[in-house]
Amino acid sequence: MDRATFACSTAFFHDCSPSSQAAPGLPGGHVDFIERVDSFTYSDFFRDYLIPNQPCIFSAKFTEDWGSRRNWVTRDGKPNFEHLLQKFGEAVVPVANCDMKEYNSNPKEQLPFKDYVKYWQEYIRNGYRSSRGCLYLKDWHLSRAFPEQDVYTTPVYFSSDWLNEYWDAVAVDDYRFVYMGPKGSWTPFHADVFRSYSWSANICGRKKWLLYPAGQEEFLKDRHGNLPFDVTAPSLQDRRVYPRYSQSQPPVEIVQEAGEIVFIPSGWHHQVYNLEDTISINHNWVNGCNVAIMWCFLQDELAAVQREINQWKDPMDDWHLQCQLIMKSCTGIDYKEFYNFLKVIAENRISVLEKGLDDEALAKNTSKAAISTLGMLHAVFDLKRTVKVLTSLSANEDFKKLDLTSLSPPPEALLHHLKAAIDTALL
């Protein structure tokens, strides 16, 4: 990132809260299309899309050298079932039934990949009908299960990825997924985990996206405060059930072609349809531009849990701890792990700023390699964003009521180290 762009973006974000980042919408529903790889830089993406939290589409030129685009697709643009079975046939994969509703999502089961492909081929032969319903392979951690496979390379625009940097470090999980599904498969209305960014690349096939800018989902809730399962359902027209629906903006519609990448901004709710037999690669990610939105989301989630079990506050000695446990079971993280998340991100950047990395170290640590590639100014930006959120977390009353003795270093010491590292880097 060049100094002029970084200075401008840092100044912009300094006064930017999650509420002010909630986009009012796009004029006429227009979404920018990025055609050329050679003329679009990381700084362009940072300035024009990450900071203002706006969607865009990258052309198929950005993915044309991926192994999956060469090997997973037949000459006529269809899924190459033979190749996929050869490479992944014995894997067990998560499969959702698009014709069934369980709470506000589709129920899932685990199937051998070879059985899913057999189902898919029969589904096509039967005119896209089956007594089993429309099954959609979703949220498959293929890269984690088959790290040796030449599938794709994360574009530099999405390389400042704190979620996967952290979960790779603790070796527990990741937020890198493969989706495969027949024409007609779909994903119900939702926003992504932790209100993260996401990017989705079509290896083959076409998708239709319905996007609602952050904040618009408030107008789509029913009178009980619940979001719709299907945002296109006729029942949303019933003002007795959805009293504010008439105030909502029409969705931003995108048709994504094969090879193209869609960038979904932080906190934008969306619903997605596969218009053809489609394979896609998806990442969720958080970085310095939207970590404050993640922190606000966690506070909202905890407040919702506290309201639900408020009646047990007095008779329950460890009520605050129980609230944290429930929140973690629902969202995947609690306040103490969020602290550790910030710590890992901060320490990685401090290490790069203070020690640098030689070529051998870069080859062994892809997360630090990404930090090094984006440069010192980006690392400082990340540390400044971390300081802002960590300061808020440390002052949070619910955080202070937890047993923090297990946190190492203590929040105050980490904040001091962060500020000192920033000051040293900017000398």
Side-chain angles (χ1 to χ4, degrees):
M1 180 185 300
D2 60 83
R3 286 179 177 270
T5 298
F6 177 83
C8 175
S9 300
T10 303
F12 180 96
F13 193 77
H14 181 73
D15 297 319
C16 202
S17 66
S19 58
S20 65
Q21 277 197 302
L26 298 167
H30 171 76
V31 176
D32 289 347
F33 186 80
I34 314 301
E35 176 65 37
R36 296 181 57 182
V37 179
D38 57 357
S39 61
F40 188 70
T41 67
Y42 179 86
S43 294
D44 294 331
F45 182 63
F46 185 94
R47 180 191 64 234
D48 296 338
Y49 303 101
L50 279 181
I51 289 293
N53 207 38
Q54 294 292 307
C56 64
I57 308 167
F58 294 80
S59 76
K61 293 177 182 177
F62 287 83
T63 63
E64 61 186 5
D65 61 345
W66 289 5
S68 53
R69 297 243 5 242
R70 293 191 306 271
N71 303 318
W72 291 15
V73 186
T74 62
R75 290 186 177 182
D76 59 350
K78 306 295 184 183
N80 189 335
F81 292 125
E82 182 179 352
H83 176 84
L84 293 168
L85 284 171
Q86 179 186 350
K87 296 295 183 181
F88 312 116
E90 299 304 316
V92 176
V93 297
V95 175
N97 191 327
C98 296
D99 294 342
M100 297 179 67
K101 177 181 177 182
E102 188 174 84
Y103 301 103
N104 227 33
S105 61
N106 303 124
K108 280 185 179 179
E109 61 179 320
Q110 298 288 321
L111 289 178
F113 181 68
K114 60 186 177 183
D115 290 354
Y116 178 71
V117 170
K118 181 180 179 182
Y119 154 84
W120 191 352
Q121 292 172 313
E122 291 175 351
Y123 192 74
I124 295 170
R125 286 195 294 268
N126 200 37
Y128 293 92
R129 294 186 302 272
S130 171
S131 59
R132 297 172 65 184
C134 181
L135 303 185
Y136 190 7
L137 191 166
K138 302 175 70 172
D139 301 323
W140 181 16
H141 296 269
L142 181 142
S143 291
R144 191 174 72 198
F146 298 92
E148 74 286 353
Q149 290 293 320
D150 175 22
V151 178
Y152 66 101
T153 303
T154 301
V156 66
Y157 315 101
F158 318 130
S159 60
S160 180
D161 176 352
W162 295 11
L163 279 189
N164 289 302
E165 180 180 339
Y166 171 72
W167 264 276
D168 285 349
V170 297
V172 172
D173 202 357
D174 68 4
Y175 289 91
R176 308 176 183 97
F177 307 107
V178 168
Y179 284 54
M180 299 185 182
K183 179 176 69 175
S185 51
W186 67 296
T187 299
F189 190 60
H190 70 287
D192 288 315
V193 59
F194 309 135
R195 298 301 180 263
S196 59
Y197 298 128
S198 68
W199 62 265
S200 178
N202 276 357
I203 304 307
C204 64
R206 303 168 71 233
K207 289 181 184 286
K208 178 180 178 180
W209 296 76
L210 304 179
L211 306 178
Y212 286 85
Q216 280 293 306
E217 72 279 0
E218 294 301 320
F219 300 116
L220 303 175
K221 292 180 177 178
D222 65 19
R223 58 192 178 92
H224 302 294
N226 301 312
L227 288 169
F229 176 71
D230 178 0
V231 78
T232 68
S235 58
L236 270 76
Q237 305 286 343
D238 188 341
R239 292 189 177 185
R240 295 168 298 179
V241 182
Y242 294 93
R244 303 178 68 193
Y245 176 71
S246 61
Q247 299 173 252
S248 66
Q249 298 176 6
V252 177
E253 292 195 18
I254 294 173
V255 174
Q256 178 190 14
E257 304 292 341
E260 294 177 352
I261 307 173
V262 170
F263 165 64
I264 305 300
S266 189
W268 283 47
H269 283 68
H270 47 282
Q271 188 161 303
V272 193
Y273 301 89
N274 288 325
L275 303 178
E276 299 174 355
D277 297 314
T278 301
I279 300 175
S280 64
I281 291 170
N282 305 61
H283 281 208
N284 296 115
W285 95 103
V286 168
N287 60 28
C289 299
N290 68 338
V291 67
I293 297 177
M294 179 181 179
W295 169 226
C296 286
F297 167 73
L298 294 178
Q299 292 174 82
D300 289 343
E301 288 295 294
L302 180 62
V305 170
Q306 290 172 336
R307 287 193 298 271
E308 284 294 316
I309 65 169
N310 186 59
Q311 60 182 318
W312 304 106
K313 186 173 183 178
D314 291 334
M316 191 182 295
D317 292 336
D318 59 349
W319 184 80
H320 289 285
L321 176 59
Q322 292 302 318
C323 288
Q324 293 285 325
L325 292 171
I326 294 170
M327 182 181 74
K328 184 168 184 175
S329 71
C330 296
T331 67
I333 196 170
D334 58 17
Y335 278 13
K336 288 173 71 172
E337 183 162 22
F338 184 59
Y339 171 83
N340 285 324
F341 166 78
L342 295 174
K343 181 189 77 167
V344 167
I345 298 306
E347 290 180 343
N348 281 346
R349 279 142 190 81
I350 291 171
S351 174
V352 170
L353 289 175
E354 292 182 347
K355 303 174 185 176
L357 290 173
D358 56 30
D359 291 341
E360 183 179 350
L362 289 173
K364 291 180 179 179
N365 191 317
T366 56
S367 295
K368 289 186 178 180
I371 299 166
S372 180
T373 299
L374 294 176
M376 183 197 76
L377 288 176
H378 201 294
V380 172
F381 172 83
D382 288 350
L383 291 180
K384 286 186 172 182
R385 296 301 93 215
T386 305
V387 165
K388 188 172 182 179
V389 173
L390 184 56
T391 299
S392 176
L393 174 64
S394 299
N396 182 274
E397 291 301 322
D398 291 303
F399 182 67
K400 290 193 289 187
K401 288 172 183 173
L402 303 174
D403 179 6
L404 305 180
T405 57
S406 63
L407 300 182
S408 178
E412 298 79 8
L414 180 58
L415 271 170
H416 178 77
H417 193 182
L418 277 168
K419 292 174 182 177
I422 293 169
D423 290 343
T424 300
L426 294 178
L427 286 178

